[in-house]
Structure formats: structure tokens, C-alpha cells
Amino acid sequence: MHGTNLSRWTMSYFVVALSALLLGEILMAAGYGFPSAPIRAPETLVLVHVVAIGWLSLLLCGALFQFVPVLIARPLYSDSLPLPTLLFIVAGLAGLVLGFLQRAGMIEAGVSPLPYAAASLTIGFSLALWNFGRTLCTVRPLTLPASFVAVALVCLAATVTLGVAFSLVLGLNIRHGALLKIAGQGLPLHLIAGIGGWLTFSAIGVSYRLLAMFMLSPECEGRRTQAVLWLGTTALAIAILGGLATLLFDKGVHLALLAGGVLGFAAVVLYGMDVLHLYRARKRRVIELNSQMAALALVSLAVAVVMVVVLIGLGQLSEQIGAVVFLLVFGWLSGLGLSQLYKIVAFLTWLECYGPVLGKTATPRVQDLVDETRARKWFVLYYLSVWAATAFLLAPYLLGFRLAVAAMIVATLGLTVHLARSRLLSQVSAQSGLPEGTRRPHLLVSIARPS
Amino acid sequence: MTQTFVDLDVRPILRGGGEPFEKIMKTVEALKPNQGLRLYATFKPIPLFQVLGAKGFTFDARELDGGDWEVLFRRSTAPEPAAPVLPNAPSEGTEWPEPVQHMDNRELDPPEPMVRILAATEELESGQVLSALLCREPTFLFPELAKRGHEWRGDFEPDGTTYKIFVRVGQRPNTSET
């Protein structure tokens, strides 16, 4: 029966994350990195890490600092660690980008910043893991959503570890046998641990709770949800650990990826059935924009899974893997992230500003902080442009892709303005002003005060 | 009973805009039976007086130079046996009066259940109790109740889906200084 306080630095994480999303989109529209450059080119690595670390990982860390305590009804272990965590991750990302730019020949060759970047990212993510781990370990047994997050955190550790191995080979030229094997063939494992484990598994866990909460649906706690957890965990373990073992023994990673893929497919199908149940069994008939738009992210996930099956059938998965990853990253993960951000920012801002006077004086509702009709247009433009960009990747038609990503930039900017207006109470204070005893929240920091 | 005091200075947290409630409660939970709490704060922590009063503490508040406050919380009686976490934990030793208001907030869109409970507490007299049914544990409500000096007890019903909370309204501060 512990309460949940406002996470102080979550808004800072969101602001940095959105900036990274826009930067990533601008790079793609400008023809920098994939698909304008090959998938393993340094330019693509710049793009991928800006999006995966700068946008998705920071978004998720910021959200989890607030929502892990909600998932387990326990306070966060440390409210002060998230700031150094953010600084180390941002510094590490900057170093990583510099290191890749150096490899691309855009900055002068010299001492590689990659090992320093890896060290900084390791410290940053270790601080996050320590904070989440200490928080989660206060509860036994974990709730199902929290179990997904726990598995995701283990995958984050695996992702960082593999990344460090790459940086040792690329940055320090260490020619150790095992490290060379990992650097040579471990990229799919790094990708699966990052996108499949860390990002998707946490998104699944958080979505179970958020969708149920916002739509007044019964919590998914049955055998099917447990099957999603165990199938998914086993799939990740086989793909990552099995893949690593086969790679180190020179057997190739394909068999482990295939076995993990089959189990992962089953897990995603069962997750889809759970999600359908959440939408169908909801008590709230008219759902808000965040739940409507989350549905489009879930559709993107379903389409990506179908794409994988079809591409395997056509024998073109390895050629078209970029399109699949693009749809997973921007349709599924980013779509879900943006749709939930839209609600989370408004709710946390509302609680921070009006919490002290709730019930004492008339206050706006959370819905009054947002303008769903206008925001819906930006969401629709976002998803349509993501789907168009995916189609252009499959075609392949480079100019079409870049134009579609340009439309994504416009949509993301539109949504960012809505998020900022919601955080700055532009919607409500213009109409009614702030009640006595309240204070306009800061853009970057949440400050709780005694009432 | 002879008591020693554990010092806790929450002024840096408050000056930094932080929320020290969890830290205070963690410290209180860790106190030994013969220990009290010496708390330093930037304001007179009136809501805390009720919260810790319910846990069997008396207080002695003193304003320091510069406007800060030192408060000594002493155990007035033997500590309540069944109150291991927050002020809300069901304490078998103390009887609460029957609720004067019942609310069924299970079908309300979030965060309306929280708003209605807080609004209802404003209408009740000190010591009166309200009960409410919710469709989940209201984790964001608890800090708001604590800041206002209210106590609560709550748990899931045997059906595992309905959360029932009782809120006992705390003493109203005489001044607006909080």
C-alpha cells in the first residue's frame, strides 16, 4: 500500500527522447544512413543508435522510472539516480555517434571514442538497471506486467554487453577470438536483445497495465498471459544465449534464431489475443485518443509479424529485414510510445499542478489539458507516413521513402507541440488561469510539494 | 521509556523541490522500539503530525534560526503491532468509526475516482471515515491523502479485482502554513 510519487526527471527523459526521434527522422529524410546507405554502414549505425538509445531507450527509461512503482505498488529505489543515469547515457550516445562518424570518415581519424562511449553507456544503463532491480526485488512474486519488465531489463543488460564487445573490437582493435566472433556475427543477437527483448518486452508489459487502466478492462492475469511471458522469455533466451553459444562454437546463429523466432511468433500471437480481449472486454465504451492510437501501433506489430512470415516464404527476409525493423521501430514501438506519451504527459502534469488542490477547488480534468481532435490528425499522418515509408522500403523506392519520412517529421513536430502545450497547460490556463495554490509545472522537472 | 533519536534532515530534499515523505516513512519503519525521530524540515510539517500520531508518536516542534523546524517524534506508547508500512496499514488495535459515506468508483474513468475521494474528504469532519470501491489500487492517491494528514486502510476484496479503501479524515490545520 505504498503510494507512487511523481518521478522527478521523467519529463527530462521525454524531452531528450523526442529530440532524438526528430534527429533520427531528419537524418533519414536527408538521406543519411539506411536505406540510403547499407545496413551495416557507419552512417546507419549513427541513425540506429540515435533512435534506439536516444529516442526509444530514454523514452522507456523515463516512463519506467514513473511506472515501475505503479506496476508493483512500491516506491522507486532512488529518485536521485535518474539524473546521472540520463547524463551518462546521453554522453555515451554522443561518443558513440562521434565514433561512427569517425569510421564514416566525416571527422578526423584518431583515438576512437567508441570505448569511452561504451563505458559511459554501460555506467548509465547499469545505474538504471540497479535502480529498477532494487525496486523490483522488494516484491515477491512480481505482478505479470512487472515480470515482463524484469525480463526486458535482463535483455537490456545483454544488449549493452554485446555492444561493449563490438566497441572493444571496433574501437580498440582488440583481436580476441571470441570477441571477433561476436563482432562478426553477433549483430542479429544485439538487435534481438535490444528491439525484441528490452524494447518490445517492456512495451508489452507496460501495455498490459496501461491499456487495462485507461479502458477499464479486466487485468490480463490468466494462463494465456503467462504463456506470453514464458514463451517470449524462452524465445529470447534461445535466440540470445543459444545464438551466442552456437556462434562461439562456429555453428552459425541461424538455428537458434529460427527456434527463438518460432516461439516468439507464438508469444506475439497470444499477446495479440490478449490485446483484443482488453479492447473487447473494456467497460469504457468511448476510449480516449491514446488507446485509439495504441491500436494502430498494435496493428503495425501484427503487420510486421505477417511480413516476417511472408518474407520467409518468399525467401527474402534477409534482403527486406530493414523494412521489418523500420515498421517495428516506428510503427509499433514509436507509435505506442507517442500514443502513451500523449496521455502520460497530460496526466503527470495534471497531478503535479492540481494534486495539492484536488477536491478543494474546481480544477480542470486531465482531458482539458489536451485537444484530441487536433492531435488525432497528427497521429493519423504519423502512422500513414510510417506505413508508406515501409512500403517504399519494400518497393524499394528511395525518394518515396524520404518523402514519407519528411511527412513523419511534420507529424512528430505536430505531436511534440501538443505535448509541450499539454505540459505547459497552454490549453487550460488560457481559459481559466491557475487556481490559487497551484504552480505552472516546469517543462523538464517534476517538483512535488507539500500541499 | 528512555529514547534515543535517529536524525533525519529532509531540508536538502525540500529545497531541491523533492518529496521526502517516502524517506521519512522508511526511516520511521526502521526505528527500533526505544528510538524516536529527530526531523529537520524547512516548514512545520503539520500533516506528518497526524500521520505519525496515528502510529503512536507524540511530537515536539521547535522553530530554528532561519525559519527551519526541528521536530522530535517520541513513541508515546508501545508501537502498534500491526503497522509495518504506512499510516494506512490495517491496525487491529484501533477501531475506526463506521463510514459515514460510501462510494462506488469502480466504473469511473481515471483519475476521477481519486478526485471524488479527495473532494469527499474535504466535506467530512475530522475523524469521520469514508469507504470507496475502486477497480485498482490507487497508488497515486496515497501520497495526496498523506499530505493532507488523512489515514487510510485498504486491500483487495476476496474477488481479487475490487479494491476497498477506508479513509479517516485527519485534523484540519488551523493555519494555512503547510
Side-chain angles (χ1 to χ4, degrees):
Chain A
M1 269 196 290
H2 288 264
T4 302
N5 286 308
L6 289 170
S7 157
R8 191 151 190 232
W9 298 104
T10 285
M11 290 298 161
S12 309
Y13 276 74
F14 290 167
V15 169
V16 179
L18 279 166
S19 312
L21 171 61
L22 281 164
L23 174 61
E25 290 173 344
I26 289 168
L27 288 176
M28 283 187 290
Y32 191 85
F34 180 82
S36 305
I39 240 170
R40 284 173 179 259
E43 290 85 351
T44 303
L45 295 179
V46 170
L47 172 64
V48 165
H49 287 90
V50 164
V51 173
I53 297 175
W55 159 232
L56 290 171
S57 294
L58 288 182
L59 169 74
L60 207 47
C61 281
L64 289 178
F65 284 129
Q66 182 65 69
F67 281 97
V68 163
V70 176
L71 293 179
I72 60 170
R74 292 286 190 286
L76 188 68
Y77 172 69
S78 164
D79 279 324
S80 42
L81 279 180
L83 180 60
T85 303
L86 176 65
L87 297 177
F88 274 111
I89 294 176
V90 170
L93 176 61
L96 208 58
V97 168
L98 284 177
F100 293 138
L101 288 177
Q102 192 184 49
R103 293 184 71 79
M106 286 188 67
I107 56 174
E108 211 169 301
V111 178
S112 172
L114 286 178
Y116 302 102
S120 185
L121 285 170
T122 304
I123 294 170
F125 282 119
S126 299
L127 289 175
L129 286 167
W130 170 252
N131 206 355
F132 291 132
R134 287 300 302 257
T135 307
L136 288 169
C137 75
T138 56
V139 182
R140 286 290 178 279
L142 284 178
T143 59
L144 265 174
S147 303
F148 280 95
V149 173
V151 174
L153 293 172
V154 175
C155 290
L156 170 61
T159 314
V160 174
T161 308
L162 287 167
V164 169
F166 297 156
S167 77
L168 291 178
V169 174
L170 295 177
L172 291 181
N173 263 330
I174 293 178
R175 293 283 173 251
H176 183 271
L179 284 179
L180 278 177
K181 287 177 189 172
I182 292 172
Q185 298 178 63
L187 188 61
L189 309 184
H190 185 58
L191 205 70
I192 288 169
I195 294 179
W198 158 230
L199 297 170
T200 288
F201 234 57
S202 349
I204 287 178
V206 172
S207 72
Y208 272 123
R209 177 55 60 88
L210 287 183
L211 290 174
M213 199 158 82
F214 291 134
M215 298 195 293
L216 298 182
S217 312
E219 297 274 351
C220 286
E221 291 168 331
R223 292 168 68 177
R224 188 167 61 203
T225 312
Q226 290 183 352
V228 176
L229 175 67
W230 288 111
L231 279 171
T233 306
T234 313
L236 289 165
I238 289 177
I240 301 166
L241 295 177
L244 200 58
T246 51
L247 179 158
L248 292 175
F249 288 103
D250 296 319
K251 303 289 184 197
V253 296
H254 292 93
L255 194 63
L257 295 188
L258 185 67
V262 170
L263 291 177
F265 176 76
V268 173
V269 170
L270 292 178
Y271 169 63
M273 292 164 74
D274 267 346
V275 165
L276 277 180
H277 176 72
L278 282 172
Y279 276 88
R280 284 181 181 152
R282 69 181 194 270
K283 289 181 188 160
R284 189 175 199 170
R285 296 327 300 170
V286 182
I287 53 176
E288 291 172 301
L289 188 62
N290 58 308
S291 302
Q292 295 170 19
M293 294 301 122
L296 298 184
L298 292 155
V299 167
S300 302
L301 173 63
V303 172
V305 171
V306 171
M307 264 169 70
V308 170
V309 175
V310 172
L311 288 170
I312 288 175
L314 295 172
Q316 290 195 356
L317 182 62
S318 53
E319 291 83 8
Q320 298 285 17
I321 191 70
V324 175
V325 172
F326 180 88
L327 184 58
L328 283 174
V329 166
F330 292 100
W332 156 237
L333 293 168
S334 303
L336 187 74
L338 286 169
S339 67
Q340 297 314 302
L341 255 190
Y342 185 72
K343 181 72 184 182
I344 292 168
V345 168
F347 172 70
L348 296 179
T349 300
W350 173 85
L351 188 61
E352 180 181 343
C353 179
Y354 300 109
V357 298
L358 284 178
K360 295 178 179 172
T361 182
T363 54
R365 301 166 309 152
V366 182
Q367 299 94 303
D368 297 330
L369 271 62
V370 296
D371 182 343
E372 291 203 351
T373 312
R374 288 187 176 170
R376 178 178 284 106
K377 293 172 190 161
W378 298 120
F379 272 115
V380 170
L381 176 64
Y382 178 81
Y383 280 108
L384 288 179
S385 49
V386 167
W387 294 336
T390 308
F392 287 129
L393 280 177
L394 287 168
Y397 179 48
L398 195 56
L399 182 63
F401 172 81
R402 289 174 59 180
L403 287 173
V405 175
M408 281 169 64
I409 296 174
V410 174
T412 308
L413 279 172
L415 290 170
T416 305
V417 169
H418 273 266
L419 290 170
R421 284 179 60 80
S422 153
R423 177 69 188 161
L424 298 173
L425 299 173
S426 311
Q427 200 74 18
V428 284
S429 52
Q431 294 163 8
S432 55
L434 288 172
E436 195 180 333
T438 61
R439 191 167 58 182
R440 190 179 298 278
H442 191 277
L443 182 67
L444 295 174
V445 187
S446 295
I447 300 172
R449 288 160 297 141
S451 60
Chain B
M1 191 194 312
T2 310
Q3 292 196 355
T4 56
F5 287 93
V6 172
D7 287 354
L8 177 61
D9 188 350
V10 296
R11 289 173 296 184
I13 301 177
L14 290 166
R15 292 201 180 102
E19 170 53 68
F21 182 73
E22 291 288 348
K23 191 173 176 73
I24 295 171
M25 296 317 292
K26 275 184 188 167
T27 310
V28 170
E29 284 164 28
L31 290 178
K32 299 194 175 89
N34 64 341
Q35 285 182 324
L37 175 70
R38 182 185 285 115
L39 181 76
Y40 294 95
T42 54
F43 62 95
K44 191 177 182 182
I46 292 171
L48 204 59
F49 297 164
Q50 280 98 46
V51 173
L52 292 187
K55 292 177 80 71
F57 286 86
T58 59
F59 61 89
D60 183 7
R62 181 168 74 88
E63 188 166 8
L64 303 172
D65 296 339
D68 292 346
W69 285 77
E70 179 196 73
V71 189
L72 295 173
F73 289 98
R74 291 187 178 87
R75 290 192 195 274
S76 58
T77 57
E80 292 175 44
V85 278
L86 277 183
N88 50 349
S91 45
E92 304 300 330
T94 55
E95 285 297 320
W96 282 13
E98 282 297 308
V100 295
Q101 187 172 354
H102 298 277
M103 311 172 87
D104 186 349
N105 292 350
R106 284 175 293 181
E107 306 268 316
L108 297 176
D109 299 339
E112 197 59 22
M114 170 164 106
V115 176
R116 294 209 186 176
I117 289 173
L118 289 173
T121 61
E122 295 298 317
E123 302 298 318
L124 297 183
E125 300 292 325
S126 170
Q128 286 185 318
V129 174
L130 73 83
S131 76
L133 301 179
L134 304 161
C135 64
R136 61 192 70 254
E137 188 170 3
T139 56
F140 286 105
L141 172 66
F142 296 149
E144 297 302 329
L145 291 174
K147 284 177 197 166
R148 294 164 196 227
H150 304 322
E151 296 170 83
W152 69 93
R153 299 167 171 181
D155 209 345
F156 281 99
E157 297 282 83
D159 66 4
T161 57
T162 301
Y163 190 93
K164 188 167 188 178
I165 186 169
F166 294 89
V167 179
R168 183 162 72 172
V169 175
Q171 295 287 331
R172 307 267 180 220
N174 293 325
T175 66
S176 59
E177 177 203 13
T178 50

